[in-house]
Amino acid sequence: GAVVSQHPSRVICKSGTSVKIECRSLDFQATTMFWYRQFPKQSLMLMATSNEGSKATYEQGVEKDKFLINHASLTLSTLTVTSAHPEDSSFYICSARRGGVGQPQHFGDGTRLSIL
Amino acid sequence: KNEVEQSPQNLTAQEGEFITINCSYSVGISALHWLQQHPGGGIVSLFMLSSGKKKHGRLIATINIQEKHSSLHITASHPRDSAVYICAVVGGSQGNLIFGKGTKLSVKP
């Protein structure tokens, strides 16, 4: 149980394109979803936290107008990278949690985004 | 100084060896995850613990809250254990994870 599906797994696109990444909890209701980013040889870093039906909370330095997060249902959150540029190339991964802080997070397989 | 420090950064072992990866943290936490990340990037949560010790197959995780230290042990290591192992602590008001930089483990046959 506790499967999280993230799609697509890999995206290569031109600069200026907007890219949408989906994160779905397949067999549980995710009250909270997290979006993380990992640059090469770096730690995973939290970008934003989203609770179903609420606006996402963004970490310092993450532009909310560039990284649009929608958590419209208990099983789906989307991250849209708007007008992507080469510096946005990174590994993006979501996690989902059912319940409060004491519950485990379950990870998607990640999306490798390459902007040319 | 990072809030979560792991050691070693890289580890090469022979098949069958006992492996230990260490994690120290400097922030207050409610729990700690040990995660496994494979070359494709996907992450699997191995353990979530807030006290004591947990065991799953050949994997053992321990945590000492007072000393702010956790260890991940792998007994009878196997080449399929080769991966990056990441320590992540549950912090922040919404329980987001703060990650260590990971330990890259290579187990040679």
Side-chain angles (χ1 to χ4, degrees):
Chain A
V3 177
V4 175
S5 172
Q6 188 173 337
H7 178 81
S9 57
R10 187 172 183 95
V11 180
I12 302 173
C13 57
K14 292 182 179 178
S15 186
T17 307
S18 291
V19 178
K20 181 187 278 189
I21 303 169
E22 290 189 349
C23 180
R24 292 181 185 271
S25 56
L26 298 186
D27 52 0
F28 67 101
Q29 292 185 323
T31 46
T32 306
M33 286 188 172
F34 302 89
W35 287 96
Y36 299 95
R37 181 168 55 181
Q38 185 179 36
F39 291 108
K41 301 192 185 302
Q42 299 292 316
S43 306
L44 285 149
M45 296 292 290
L46 178 68
M47 297 177 68
T49 303
S50 76
N51 293 296
E52 185 264 340
S54 303
K55 287 186 179 178
T57 304
Y58 290 80
E59 294 301 293
Q60 196 170 17
V62 178
E63 299 175 56
K64 61 182 179 182
D65 294 330
K66 182 169 184 63
F67 298 99
L68 302 178
I69 291 171
N70 185 286
H71 191 166
S73 78
L74 283 170
T75 59
L76 174 65
S77 176
T78 60
L79 167 67
T80 301
V81 184
T82 61
S83 188
H85 289 283
E87 58 266 28
D88 299 322
S89 299
S90 187
F91 182 71
Y92 294 85
I93 193 164
C94 69
S95 71
R97 186 182 70 204
R98 174 178 51 200
V101 169
Q103 298 302 310
Q105 293 185 31
H106 306 283
F107 289 84
D109 284 336
T111 297
R112 194 159 299 281
L113 176 62
S114 300
I115 307 299
L116 306 176
Chain B
K1 192 178 188 302
N2 293 329
E3 292 171 305
V4 181
E5 296 274 3
Q6 276 185 246
S7 63
Q9 266 190 301
N10 293 283
L11 181 56
T12 301
Q14 286 298 127
E15 183 172 358
E17 284 186 2
F18 180 83
I19 287 161
T20 296
I21 300 169
N22 294 300
C23 176
S24 296
Y25 53 91
S26 57
V27 294
I29 69 168
S30 57
L32 181 146
H33 282 260
W34 278 103
L35 309 170
Q36 182 188 54
Q37 185 173 30
H38 281 279
I43 290 176
V44 173
S45 179
L46 301 173
F47 295 103
M48 178 178 173
L49 65 165
S50 54
S51 66
K53 176 179 173 178
K54 285 191 176 180
K55 184 176 190 294
H56 186 251
R58 295 181 293 107
L59 302 177
I60 302 166
T62 63
I63 189 168
N64 185 317
I65 295 290
Q66 287 74 30
E67 295 187 2
K68 296 189 173 180
H69 182 269
S70 176
S71 293
L72 175 69
H73 306 285
I74 305 175
T75 61
S77 59
H78 191 275
R80 64 174 175 266
D81 296 327
S82 298
V84 175
Y85 291 84
I86 301 170
C87 170
V89 300
V90 181
S93 59
Q94 299 206 59
N96 57 279
L97 296 179
I98 305 167
F99 298 86
K101 288 190 174 180
T103 296
K104 186 174 182 180
L105 171 66
S106 298
V107 181
K108 307 292 185 189

